Structure formats: structure tokens, C-alpha cells
Amino acid sequence: VQLQASGGGLVQAGGSLRLSCAASGLTFRNYIMGWFRQAPGKEREFVARISGNGITDYGDFVKGRFTISRDNAKNTVYLQMNSLKPEDSAVYYCAASVRYTGAVHEYGYWGQGTQVTVSS
């Protein structure tokens, strides 16, 4: 199983980024896909998840700014991030789980991470 995250970068506060995660080696539609993030010195935290049929959930801090989506035909999950804040700066990881959960330990497959930096 491989998860390849991309789309990170440097953006000014208030800007937007769209992260992508291409999956291979698994039956994509059968997996819950999640996005997590980890800032230096902090624990990895849940950002968003989406079920195979499109049910979504978000971390409390998202507050309508991010949207997770997936294209099962392309084996890809996306995270559209708007109104970015400096505190959103972190390495963002995509992950796959067989459980609809936000718990880090329930995700068995992880991508390599993509850096998001938001300048003030």
C-alpha cells in the first residue's frame, strides 16, 4: 500500500491550498481516508475523515474552513484548505483505515506527509 501526499507549500494567512493523496495497493473505496497534521513539538492531530461513500467529519478547529473529498475512480482524496492561519502550519499526512474514526492509532496506512507553512 502506498499513499502519496502532495500539494503543500508556503501561503500567506487567509490563503488557500489543496492537498491531494493518491493511493495504490488497496481497494480504495473500502477505506476511510483521513487527514492528520503534526506541528513541531506537538502530537499528531485529526483534521478530517471521509468514508467510502462520502460521509465526512472534521476536527473542531476546522470550523468550516477545510473540505475533504474523494474520487474513488482516481483513488485520490483531497483536502481543500481555505482561510489558512499561521497555526495551521504543520506536516499534513493522509492515512487509511477500515474504521470510521479520528483516532491516529486506528489508521494502518500512512503517507509521507506534505509541509504546509502559513505566514502571517
Side-chain angles (χ1 to χ4, degrees), residues 41-82:
K42 295 188 176 181
E43 293 187 352
R44 193 166 297 191
E45 67 175 340
F46 166 72
V47 177
R49 66 179 184 256
I50 184 168
S51 69
N53 59 359
I55 299 171
T56 61
D57 187 34
Y58 298 90
D60 290 342
F61 64 88
V62 170
K63 298 186 186 300
R65 299 182 298 127
F66 298 177
T67 302
I68 188 171
S69 61
R70 66 191 293 163
D71 185 336
N72 288 339
K74 295 183 179 180
N75 285 7
T76 302
V77 60
Y78 306 97
L79 185 68
Q80 177 67 44
M81 303 188 295
N82 300 327

mmCIF file of all heavy atoms in Angstrom, residues 41-82:
data_model
loop_
_atom_site.group_PDB
_atom_site.id
_atom_site.type_symbol
_atom_site.label_atom_id
_atom_site.label_comp_id
_atom_site.label_asym_id
_atom_site.label_seq_id
_atom_site.Cartn_x
_atom_site.Cartn_y
_atom_site.Cartn_z
ATOM 1 N N GLY A 41 6.904 19.614 17.924
ATOM 2 C CA GLY A 41 6.687 19.566 19.358
ATOM 3 C C GLY A 41 5.277 19.228 19.798
ATOM 4 O O GLY A 41 4.977 19.236 20.998
ATOM 5 N N LYS A 42 4.417 18.949 18.833
ATOM 6 C CA LYS A 42 3.018 18.633 19.164
ATOM 7 C C LYS A 42 2.670 17.236 18.683
ATOM 8 O O LYS A 42 3.333 16.666 17.822
ATOM 9 C CB LYS A 42 2.078 19.654 18.528
ATOM 10 C CG LYS A 42 2.237 21.067 19.080
ATOM 11 C CD LYS A 42 1.148 21.982 18.560
ATOM 12 C CE LYS A 42 1.244 23.360 19.179
ATOM 13 N NZ LYS A 42 0.149 24.257 18.695
ATOM 14 N N GLU A 43 1.594 16.705 19.255
ATOM 15 C CA GLU A 43 1.121 15.398 18.837
ATOM 16 C C GLU A 43 0.410 15.495 17.487
ATOM 17 O O GLU A 43 -0.113 16.552 17.124
ATOM 18 C CB GLU A 43 0.169 14.817 19.888
ATOM 19 C CG GLU A 43 0.850 14.483 21.215
ATOM 20 C CD GLU A 43 -0.082 13.769 22.167
ATOM 21 O OE1 GLU A 43 -1.285 13.671 21.864
ATOM 22 O OE2 GLU A 43 0.400 13.316 23.228
ATOM 23 N N ARG A 44 0.395 14.390 16.797
ATOM 24 C CA ARG A 44 -0.352 14.328 15.548
ATOM 25 C C ARG A 44 -1.839 14.453 15.870
ATOM 26 O O ARG A 44 -2.341 13.784 16.779
ATOM 27 C CB ARG A 44 -0.066 13.014 14.835
ATOM 28 C CG ARG A 44 -0.539 12.967 13.404
ATOM 29 C CD ARG A 44 0.078 11.788 12.673
ATOM 30 N NE ARG A 44 1.537 11.897 12.589
ATOM 31 C CZ ARG A 44 2.288 11.098 11.826
ATOM 32 N NH1 ARG A 44 1.734 10.145 11.097
ATOM 33 N NH2 ARG A 44 3.594 11.247 11.810
ATOM 34 N N GLU A 45 -2.544 15.300 15.118
ATOM 35 C CA GLU A 45 -3.956 15.521 15.411
ATOM 36 C C GLU A 45 -4.828 15.292 14.188
ATOM 37 O O GLU A 45 -4.413 15.504 13.052
ATOM 38 C CB GLU A 45 -4.195 16.937 15.970
ATOM 39 C CG GLU A 45 -3.955 18.073 15.014
ATOM 40 C CD GLU A 45 -4.317 19.423 15.605
ATOM 41 O OE1 GLU A 45 -5.099 19.487 16.594
ATOM 42 O OE2 GLU A 45 -3.840 20.441 15.067
ATOM 43 N N PHE A 46 -6.041 14.911 14.464
ATOM 44 C CA PHE A 46 -7.034 14.627 13.433
ATOM 45 C C PHE A 46 -7.502 15.915 12.779
ATOM 46 O O PHE A 46 -7.821 16.889 13.460
ATOM 47 C CB PHE A 46 -8.203 13.885 14.074
ATOM 48 C CG PHE A 46 -9.451 13.813 13.240
ATOM 49 C CD1 PHE A 46 -9.487 13.002 12.120
ATOM 50 C CD2 PHE A 46 -10.565 14.557 13.571
ATOM 51 C CE1 PHE A 46 -10.627 12.934 11.340
ATOM 52 C CE2 PHE A 46 -11.715 14.502 12.813
ATOM 53 C CZ PHE A 46 -11.750 13.675 11.688
ATOM 54 N N VAL A 47 -7.567 15.913 11.459
ATOM 55 C CA VAL A 47 -8.060 17.054 10.699
ATOM 56 C C VAL A 47 -9.418 16.758 10.081
ATOM 57 O O VAL A 47 -10.377 17.502 10.273
ATOM 58 C CB VAL A 47 -7.066 17.456 9.596
ATOM 59 C CG1 VAL A 47 -7.626 18.611 8.763
ATOM 60 C CG2 VAL A 47 -5.717 17.836 10.192
ATOM 61 N N ALA A 48 -9.508 15.649 9.335
ATOM 62 C CA ALA A 48 -10.749 15.334 8.635
ATOM 63 C C ALA A 48 -10.726 13.871 8.228
ATOM 64 O O ALA A 48 -9.661 13.266 8.101
ATOM 65 C CB ALA A 48 -10.910 16.223 7.399
ATOM 66 N N ARG A 49 -11.915 13.318 8.018
ATOM 67 C CA ARG A 49 -12.030 11.956 7.503
ATOM 68 C C ARG A 49 -13.229 11.874 6.587
ATOM 69 O O ARG A 49 -14.161 12.683 6.675
ATOM 70 C CB ARG A 49 -12.144 10.944 8.642
ATOM 71 C CG ARG A 49 -13.407 11.048 9.483
ATOM 72 C CD ARG A 49 -13.388 9.968 10.560
ATOM 73 N NE ARG A 49 -14.618 9.942 11.348
ATOM 74 C CZ ARG A 49 -14.714 10.423 12.572
ATOM 75 N NH1 ARG A 49 -13.689 11.003 13.140
ATOM 76 N NH2 ARG A 49 -15.845 10.326 13.231
ATOM 77 N N ILE A 50 -13.188 10.877 5.707
ATOM 78 C CA ILE A 50 -14.269 10.672 4.758
ATOM 79 C C ILE A 50 -14.435 9.184 4.533
ATOM 80 O O ILE A 50 -13.454 8.456 4.322
ATOM 81 C CB ILE A 50 -14.015 11.436 3.447
ATOM 82 C CG1 ILE A 50 -15.189 11.307 2.495
ATOM 83 C CG2 ILE A 50 -12.700 11.008 2.776
ATOM 84 C CD1 ILE A 50 -15.133 12.279 1.310
ATOM 85 N N SER A 51 -15.658 8.726 4.560
ATOM 86 C CA SER A 51 -15.939 7.319 4.317
ATOM 87 C C SER A 51 -15.940 7.032 2.818
ATOM 88 O O SER A 51 -15.902 7.946 1.991
ATOM 89 C CB SER A 51 -17.289 6.941 4.920
ATOM 90 O OG SER A 51 -18.341 7.567 4.200
ATOM 91 N N GLY A 52 -16.042 5.775 2.484
ATOM 92 C CA GLY A 52 -16.047 5.407 1.083
ATOM 93 C C GLY A 52 -17.209 5.978 0.299
ATOM 94 O O GLY A 52 -17.078 6.223 -0.911
ATOM 95 N N ASN A 53 -18.323 6.223 0.974
ATOM 96 C CA ASN A 53 -19.486 6.789 0.294
ATOM 97 C C ASN A 53 -19.665 8.272 0.596
ATOM 98 O O ASN A 53 -20.737 8.825 0.352
ATOM 99 C CB ASN A 53 -20.757 6.023 0.653
ATOM 100 C CG ASN A 53 -21.038 6.034 2.141
ATOM 101 O OD1 ASN A 53 -20.287 6.591 2.910
ATOM 102 N ND2 ASN A 53 -22.141 5.419 2.533
ATOM 103 N N GLY A 54 -18.606 8.908 1.140
ATOM 104 C CA GLY A 54 -18.600 10.362 1.212
ATOM 105 C C GLY A 54 -19.062 11.002 2.500
ATOM 106 O O GLY A 54 -19.240 12.227 2.543
ATOM 107 N N ILE A 55 -19.242 10.245 3.559
ATOM 108 C CA ILE A 55 -19.596 10.841 4.843
ATOM 109 C C ILE A 55 -18.350 11.466 5.455
ATOM 110 O O ILE A 55 -17.304 10.829 5.501
ATOM 111 C CB ILE A 55 -20.190 9.790 5.795
ATOM 112 C CG1 ILE A 55 -21.468 9.210 5.190
ATOM 113 C CG2 ILE A 55 -20.486 10.407 7.165
ATOM 114 C CD1 ILE A 55 -22.012 8.026 5.925
ATOM 115 N N THR A 56 -18.474 12.695 5.893
ATOM 116 C CA THR A 56 -17.299 13.436 6.357
ATOM 117 C C THR A 56 -17.418 13.870 7.815
ATOM 118 O O THR A 56 -18.512 13.967 8.368
ATOM 119 C CB THR A 56 -17.075 14.689 5.486
ATOM 120 O OG1 THR A 56 -18.228 15.546 5.589
ATOM 121 C CG2 THR A 56 -16.861 14.325 4.031
ATOM 122 N N ASP A 57 -16.269 14.134 8.378
ATOM 123 C CA ASP A 57 -16.189 14.647 9.744
ATOM 124 C C ASP A 57 -14.891 15.434 9.847
ATOM 125 O O ASP A 57 -13.924 15.148 9.140
ATOM 126 C CB ASP A 57 -16.202 13.505 10.759
ATOM 127 C CG ASP A 57 -16.297 14.009 12.186
ATOM 128 O OD1 ASP A 57 -16.974 15.043 12.403
ATOM 129 O OD2 ASP A 57 -15.682 13.395 13.077
ATOM 130 N N TYR A 58 -14.904 16.436 10.758
ATOM 131 C CA TYR A 58 -13.758 17.333 10.859
ATOM 132 C C TYR A 58 -13.358 17.570 12.308
ATOM 133 O O TYR A 58 -14.187 17.473 13.223
ATOM 134 C CB TYR A 58 -14.105 18.691 10.215
ATOM 135 C CG TYR A 58 -14.417 18.602 8.747
ATOM 136 C CD1 TYR A 58 -15.716 18.387 8.302
ATOM 137 C CD2 TYR A 58 -13.399 18.709 7.798
ATOM 138 C CE1 TYR A 58 -16.010 18.300 6.948
ATOM 139 C CE2 TYR A 58 -13.683 18.622 6.445
ATOM 140 C CZ TYR A 58 -14.985 18.408 6.034
ATOM 141 O OH TYR A 58 -15.266 18.315 4.693
ATOM 142 N N GLY A 59 -12.101 17.921 12.482
ATOM 143 C CA GLY A 59 -11.649 18.354 13.784
ATOM 144 C C GLY A 59 -12.297 19.671 14.164
ATOM 145 O O GLY A 59 -12.674 20.467 13.283
ATOM 146 N N ASP A 60 -12.434 19.901 15.451
ATOM 147 C CA ASP A 60 -13.152 21.089 15.926
ATOM 148 C C ASP A 60 -12.529 22.385 15.414
ATOM 149 O O ASP A 60 -13.234 23.374 15.171
ATOM 150 C CB ASP A 60 -13.183 21.104 17.455
ATOM 151 C CG ASP A 60 -14.071 20.019 18.032
ATOM 152 O OD1 ASP A 60 -14.908 19.487 17.282
ATOM 153 O OD2 ASP A 60 -13.912 19.699 19.229
ATOM 154 N N PHE A 61 -11.229 22.395 15.244
ATOM 155 C CA PHE A 61 -10.544 23.641 14.877
ATOM 156 C C PHE A 61 -10.805 24.029 13.411
ATOM 157 O O PHE A 61 -10.536 25.139 13.007
ATOM 158 C CB PHE A 61 -9.028 23.505 15.088
ATOM 159 C CG PHE A 61 -8.404 22.465 14.191
ATOM 160 C CD1 PHE A 61 -7.964 22.799 12.923
ATOM 161 C CD2 PHE A 61 -8.263 21.157 14.615
ATOM 162 C CE1 PHE A 61 -7.398 21.853 12.093
ATOM 163 C CE2 PHE A 61 -7.705 20.197 13.803
ATOM 164 C CZ PHE A 61 -7.276 20.543 12.526
ATOM 165 N N VAL A 62 -11.328 23.100 12.612
ATOM 166 C CA VAL A 62 -11.530 23.379 11.192
ATOM 167 C C VAL A 62 -12.574 24.471 10.995
ATOM 168 O O VAL A 62 -12.391 25.387 10.182
ATOM 169 C CB VAL A 62 -11.924 22.097 10.445
ATOM 170 C CG1 VAL A 62 -12.371 22.425 9.019
ATOM 171 C CG2 VAL A 62 -10.746 21.128 10.436
ATOM 172 N N LYS A 63 -13.683 24.367 11.703
ATOM 173 C CA LYS A 63 -14.727 25.408 11.711
ATOM 174 C C LYS A 63 -15.113 25.886 10.305
ATOM 175 O O LYS A 63 -15.157 27.070 10.021
ATOM 176 C CB LYS A 63 -14.287 26.594 12.559
ATOM 177 C CG LYS A 63 -14.049 26.228 14.017
ATOM 178 C CD LYS A 63 -13.758 27.425 14.861
ATOM 179 C CE LYS A 63 -13.389 27.045 16.290
ATOM 180 N NZ LYS A 63 -14.455 26.296 16.975
ATOM 181 N N GLY A 64 -15.364 24.938 9.426
ATOM 182 C CA GLY A 64 -15.872 25.259 8.102
ATOM 183 C C GLY A 64 -14.830 25.734 7.111
ATOM 184 O O GLY A 64 -15.165 26.081 5.978
ATOM 185 N N ARG A 65 -13.560 25.754 7.482
ATOM 186 C CA ARG A 65 -12.533 26.267 6.587
ATOM 187 C C ARG A 65 -12.005 25.215 5.620
ATOM 188 O O ARG A 65 -11.502 25.549 4.544
ATOM 189 C CB ARG A 65 -11.373 26.823 7.421
ATOM 190 C CG ARG A 65 -11.772 27.964 8.334
ATOM 191 C CD ARG A 65 -10.566 28.511 9.100
ATOM 192 N NE ARG A 65 -9.978 27.504 9.968
ATOM 193 C CZ ARG A 65 -8.691 27.167 9.950
ATOM 194 N NH1 ARG A 65 -7.852 27.764 9.117
ATOM 195 N NH2 ARG A 65 -8.228 26.257 10.789
ATOM 196 N N PHE A 66 -12.048 23.935 6.017
ATOM 197 C CA PHE A 66 -11.483 22.852 5.206
ATOM 198 C C PHE A 66 -12.606 21.973 4.666
ATOM 199 O O PHE A 66 -13.644 21.811 5.318
ATOM 200 C CB PHE A 66 -10.550 21.982 6.046
ATOM 201 C CG PHE A 66 -9.336 22.676 6.617
ATOM 202 C CD1 PHE A 66 -8.469 21.985 7.442
ATOM 203 C CD2 PHE A 66 -9.048 24.010 6.330
ATOM 204 C CE1 PHE A 66 -7.347 22.591 7.977
ATOM 205 C CE2 PHE A 66 -7.934 24.638 6.857
ATOM 206 C CZ PHE A 66 -7.092 23.919 7.689
ATOM 207 N N THR A 67 -12.358 21.360 3.522
ATOM 208 C CA THR A 67 -13.289 20.406 2.940
ATOM 209 C C THR A 67 -12.525 19.184 2.453
ATOM 210 O O THR A 67 -11.590 19.319 1.659
ATOM 211 C CB THR A 67 -14.054 21.022 1.758
ATOM 212 O OG1 THR A 67 -14.756 22.198 2.196
ATOM 213 C CG2 THR A 67 -15.057 20.034 1.193
ATOM 214 N N ILE A 68 -12.924 18.028 2.946
ATOM 215 C CA ILE A 68 -12.333 16.774 2.474
ATOM 216 C C ILE A 68 -13.255 16.180 1.417
ATOM 217 O O ILE A 68 -14.486 16.264 1.517
ATOM 218 C CB ILE A 68 -12.101 15.779 3.645
ATOM 219 C CG1 ILE A 68 -11.303 14.567 3.167
ATOM 220 C CG2 ILE A 68 -13.420 15.378 4.295
ATOM 221 C CD1 ILE A 68 -10.853 13.652 4.316
ATOM 222 N N SER A 69 -12.650 15.605 0.394
ATOM 223 C CA SER A 69 -13.426 14.955 -0.658
ATOM 224 C C SER A 69 -12.594 13.805 -1.211
ATOM 225 O O SER A 69 -11.398 13.698 -0.918
ATOM 226 C CB SER A 69 -13.794 15.947 -1.769
ATOM 227 O OG SER A 69 -12.624 16.482 -2.378
ATOM 228 N N ARG A 70 -13.221 12.966 -2.006
ATOM 229 C CA ARG A 70 -12.507 11.838 -2.588
ATOM 230 C C ARG A 70 -13.065 11.535 -3.959
ATOM 231 O O ARG A 70 -14.242 11.789 -4.239
ATOM 232 C CB ARG A 70 -12.575 10.601 -1.684
ATOM 233 C CG ARG A 70 -13.955 10.004 -1.514
ATOM 234 C CD ARG A 70 -13.963 8.962 -0.392
ATOM 235 N NE ARG A 70 -13.169 7.791 -0.733
ATOM 236 C CZ ARG A 70 -12.741 6.903 0.171
ATOM 237 N NH1 ARG A 70 -12.997 7.089 1.464
ATOM 238 N NH2 ARG A 70 -12.040 5.840 -0.209
ATOM 239 N N ASP A 71 -12.211 10.957 -4.784
ATOM 240 C CA ASP A 71 -12.599 10.478 -6.105
ATOM 241 C C ASP A 71 -12.209 9.009 -6.148
ATOM 242 O O ASP A 71 -11.029 8.677 -6.316
ATOM 243 C CB ASP A 71 -11.878 11.295 -7.189
ATOM 244 C CG ASP A 71 -12.322 10.925 -8.587
ATOM 245 O OD1 ASP A 71 -12.818 9.794 -8.788
ATOM 246 O OD2 ASP A 71 -12.159 11.757 -9.481
ATOM 247 N N ASN A 72 -13.178 8.152 -5.970
ATOM 248 C CA ASN A 72 -12.875 6.718 -5.914
ATOM 249 C C ASN A 72 -12.384 6.177 -7.252
ATOM 250 O O ASN A 72 -11.664 5.179 -7.290
ATOM 251 C CB ASN A 72 -14.102 5.942 -5.428
ATOM 252 C CG ASN A 72 -14.365 6.163 -3.949
ATOM 253 O OD1 ASN A 72 -13.483 6.549 -3.188
ATOM 254 N ND2 ASN A 72 -15.609 5.920 -3.542
ATOM 255 N N ALA A 73 -12.761 6.811 -8.324
ATOM 256 C CA ALA A 73 -12.289 6.378 -9.645
ATOM 257 C C ALA A 73 -10.794 6.674 -9.826
ATOM 258 O O ALA A 73 -10.108 5.986 -10.582
ATOM 259 C CB ALA A 73 -13.093 7.066 -10.734
ATOM 260 N N LYS A 74 -10.316 7.692 -9.132
ATOM 261 C CA LYS A 74 -8.907 8.077 -9.231
ATOM 262 C C LYS A 74 -8.092 7.654 -8.016
ATOM 263 O O LYS A 74 -6.897 7.966 -7.919
ATOM 264 C CB LYS A 74 -8.792 9.593 -9.411
ATOM 265 C CG LYS A 74 -9.379 10.102 -10.709
ATOM 266 C CD LYS A 74 -9.162 11.613 -10.842
ATOM 267 C CE LYS A 74 -9.722 12.121 -12.166
ATOM 268 N NZ LYS A 74 -9.535 13.591 -12.320
ATOM 269 N N ASN A 75 -8.736 6.971 -7.075
ATOM 270 C CA ASN A 75 -8.046 6.542 -5.848
ATOM 271 C C ASN A 75 -7.347 7.707 -5.151
ATOM 272 O O ASN A 75 -6.195 7.591 -4.689
ATOM 273 C CB ASN A 75 -7.023 5.441 -6.154
ATOM 274 C CG ASN A 75 -7.657 4.096 -6.422
ATOM 275 O OD1 ASN A 75 -8.885 3.982 -6.503
ATOM 276 N ND2 ASN A 75 -6.841 3.082 -6.588
ATOM 277 N N THR A 76 -8.039 8.811 -5.081
ATOM 278 C CA THR A 76 -7.435 10.023 -4.553
ATOM 279 C C THR A 76 -8.371 10.703 -3.554
ATOM 280 O O THR A 76 -9.581 10.767 -3.781
ATOM 281 C CB THR A 76 -7.083 11.001 -5.685
ATOM 282 O OG1 THR A 76 -6.196 10.353 -6.602
ATOM 283 C CG2 THR A 76 -6.407 12.251 -5.152
ATOM 284 N N VAL A 77 -7.778 11.214 -2.487
ATOM 285 C CA VAL A 77 -8.507 12.006 -1.515
ATOM 286 C C VAL A 77 -7.900 13.406 -1.490
ATOM 287 O O VAL A 77 -6.687 13.574 -1.703
ATOM 288 C CB VAL A 77 -8.478 11.362 -0.110
ATOM 289 C CG1 VAL A 77 -7.063 11.219 0.415
ATOM 290 C CG2 VAL A 77 -9.352 12.125 0.870
ATOM 291 N N TYR A 78 -8.742 14.390 -1.256
ATOM 292 C CA TYR A 78 -8.312 15.791 -1.304
ATOM 293 C C TYR A 78 -8.640 16.491 0.015
ATOM 294 O O TYR A 78 -9.546 16.093 0.738
ATOM 295 C CB TYR A 78 -9.030 16.530 -2.440
ATOM 296 C CG TYR A 78 -8.883 15.875 -3.790
ATOM 297 C CD1 TYR A 78 -9.879 15.023 -4.277
ATOM 298 C CD2 TYR A 78 -7.768 16.107 -4.580
ATOM 299 C CE1 TYR A 78 -9.752 14.421 -5.506
ATOM 300 C CE2 TYR A 78 -7.635 15.508 -5.822
ATOM 301 C CZ TYR A 78 -8.630 14.664 -6.282
ATOM 302 O OH TYR A 78 -8.502 14.058 -7.509
ATOM 303 N N LEU A 79 -7.898 17.536 0.279
ATOM 304 C CA LEU A 79 -8.221 18.413 1.394
ATOM 305 C C LEU A 79 -8.085 19.851 0.903
ATOM 306 O O LEU A 79 -6.976 20.327 0.667
ATOM 307 C CB LEU A 79 -7.304 18.183 2.589
ATOM 308 C CG LEU A 79 -7.662 18.987 3.845
ATOM 309 C CD1 LEU A 79 -8.993 18.497 4.432
ATOM 310 C CD2 LEU A 79 -6.554 18.896 4.898
ATOM 311 N N GLN A 80 -9.213 20.501 0.727
ATOM 312 C CA GLN A 80 -9.227 21.908 0.348
ATOM 313 C C GLN A 80 -9.189 22.741 1.617
ATOM 314 O O GLN A 80 -10.064 22.611 2.475
ATOM 315 C CB GLN A 80 -10.478 22.227 -0.460
ATOM 316 C CG GLN A 80 -10.619 23.693 -0.841
ATOM 317 C CD GLN A 80 -9.566 24.148 -1.823
ATOM 318 O OE1 GLN A 80 -9.262 23.455 -2.782
ATOM 319 N NE2 GLN A 80 -8.987 25.325 -1.578
ATOM 320 N N MET A 81 -8.167 23.561 1.728
ATOM 321 C CA MET A 81 -7.989 24.369 2.941
ATOM 322 C C MET A 81 -8.086 25.848 2.573
ATOM 323 O O MET A 81 -7.298 26.344 1.759
ATOM 324 C CB MET A 81 -6.631 24.068 3.573
ATOM 325 C CG MET A 81 -6.439 22.602 3.916
ATOM 326 S SD MET A 81 -4.926 22.281 4.859
ATOM 327 C CE MET A 81 -3.702 22.737 3.642
ATOM 328 N N ASN A 82 -9.055 26.509 3.151
ATOM 329 C CA ASN A 82 -9.271 27.939 2.919
ATOM 330 C C ASN A 82 -9.075 28.717 4.216
ATOM 331 O O ASN A 82 -9.051 28.132 5.297
ATOM 332 C CB ASN A 82 -10.682 28.180 2.384
ATOM 333 C CG ASN A 82 -10.955 27.477 1.074
ATOM 334 O OD1 ASN A 82 -10.055 27.317 0.245
ATOM 335 N ND2 ASN A 82 -12.188 27.051 0.880
#
